[in-house]
Every structure is written in C-alpha cells, then in structure tokens.
Amino acid sequence: MITVIATVRAAPGRGPDLEADFRSYAEFVKANEPGTLMYTLSRSKSDPELYYALETYADEAAVQTHMANFQNRTGGAEGVAAGPPEILVLDRVV
Amino acid sequence: MITVIATVRAAPGRGPDLEADFRSYAEFVKANEPGTLMYTLSRSKSDPELYYALETYADEAAVQTHMANFQNRTGGAEGVAAGPPEILVLDRVV
C-alpha cells in the first residue's frame, strides 16, 4: 500500500471553505475510486490554517487513477488554498 | 477524532529493526487500546530511513492513554531511532 501526506495551507480565512471542498471531493473519491482506501483531512491544533490530507492507496495504479481524476476535476472551490500542496509519498509498512 | 503524525528517523542501518519494533508494539496497541483507532507506519520513498507513524485516536483521553502506555513500555528495541520523534497533533475534520 502507498501512503500520501499532502500538506496544504488555507488561504487566509478560507479554512472552512477548504474543509467543505475536501469533504465534497471525498464523497466523489469514495464513490469512484475503490483503490483509494483512505482519504482524510486533519487540521493542525497549533496552526489552524494548516491542513494535512492523509491518504492510503492500494497500489501505484490507484495513485495514478486518483491523480488523473483530481487533475480533471471540475466544480471545485477556487482559491481556498494559499498555494499548491507539499506531497510526501510513502510505502506503508505496518 | 485526533490525528497524530509522528516523524522519526531510523538510526543508520536500523530501519528494519524499527519496523519490526513498531509492528510488535502495534499488536499491543490493537489488543489494549480501543480508543486508538489507527496505528500505522509508513516509510519515505525518497529517504528510506525516514518514517511517519500515522495515528488516529477517538478523543483526547485516548491520546493520553496511549502516551502513558508508551512511556511505561518495557521490552522495546533500543537504539532503533536516530532521535526522538517530531510529533504533530491535529484535529481530524474529514
């Protein structure tokens, strides 16, 4: 399995909008990506506009499917993030 | 729910031992901590002695229970980490 940690900062004051947008997209992921095994969002307690998406994929193909869907996404909220996410790609070992 | 990301570097050459130790402790957690909902370990693809424990807790009390158990732990492997973990504490929002 593959773990992805995507760190993203909300644009100032847009944290609630970023959360709502993620929640909406997570419904799409759940319905359409059987290889995306976990797709969650957490918010820093010490820096509440800083978010971490924790994601688990069955394999590399599932990651590619998710990335392609995300790039082709329409209707997402604009301007909720301060910039692009920082992406860590990890091998799940336990 | 509360998410914890604990980042830890293995001591040089001790990555496999760190993984085995985590796997063993995860069995204890599964058997004894109903409030620890997820307890996983992932390894960086780009920096393979760098590990991320991704953990989910039901609530703050579950975090405290886990921390107390961890501090009282006996029999864990010695010297598998290069130093103490960096701990991020997050509120799970999605």
Side-chain angles (χ1 to χ4, degrees):
Chain A
M1 288 192 289
I2 295 171
T3 299
V4 170
I5 303 176
T7 307
V8 64
R9 182 171 293 284
R14 301 298 301 278
D17 299 326
L18 185 149
E19 293 179 21
D21 188 55
F22 191 98
R23 188 172 286 111
S24 167
Y25 195 62
E27 291 297 316
F28 170 86
V29 168
K30 189 175 178 181
N32 293 278
E33 296 178 8
T36 302
L37 305 178
M38 186 178 86
Y39 197 69
T40 69
L41 185 69
S42 297
R43 181 182 58 222
S44 171
K45 282 183 180 288
S46 61
D47 184 353
E49 289 192 328
L50 186 59
Y51 289 87
Y52 297 80
L54 306 188
E55 309 168 12
T56 306
Y57 298 90
D59 51 27
E60 192 63 48
V63 174
Q64 295 304 320
T65 296
H66 177 75
M67 296 295 184
N69 284 340
F70 193 79
Q71 286 174 357
N72 292 326
R73 182 183 182 204
T74 58
E78 297 289 334
V80 298
E86 175 192 336
I87 307 282
L88 292 171
V89 182
L90 316 169
D91 286 311
R92 170 87 169 261
V93 294
V94 177
Chain B
M1 288 192 290
I2 296 171
T3 299
V4 170
I5 303 175
T7 307
V8 63
R9 182 171 294 283
R14 300 297 303 276
D17 299 326
L18 186 148
E19 294 179 22
D21 188 55
F22 190 98
R23 186 172 287 111
S24 167
Y25 195 63
E27 291 297 316
F28 170 86
V29 168
K30 189 175 180 182
N32 292 280
E33 296 179 7
T36 302
L37 305 178
M38 187 178 87
Y39 197 69
T40 69
L41 184 70
S42 296
R43 180 183 58 222
S44 172
K45 282 183 180 289
S46 61
D47 184 352
E49 289 192 328
L50 186 60
Y51 289 87
Y52 297 79
L54 305 188
E55 309 168 11
T56 306
Y57 298 90
D59 52 27
E60 191 63 50
V63 175
Q64 296 305 320
T65 295
H66 177 75
M67 296 295 184
N69 284 340
F70 193 79
Q71 286 175 358
N72 293 326
R73 180 183 185 203
T74 57
E78 297 290 333
V80 298
E86 175 192 336
I87 306 282
L88 291 170
V89 183
L90 316 169
D91 286 311
R92 169 87 171 262
V93 294
V94 177

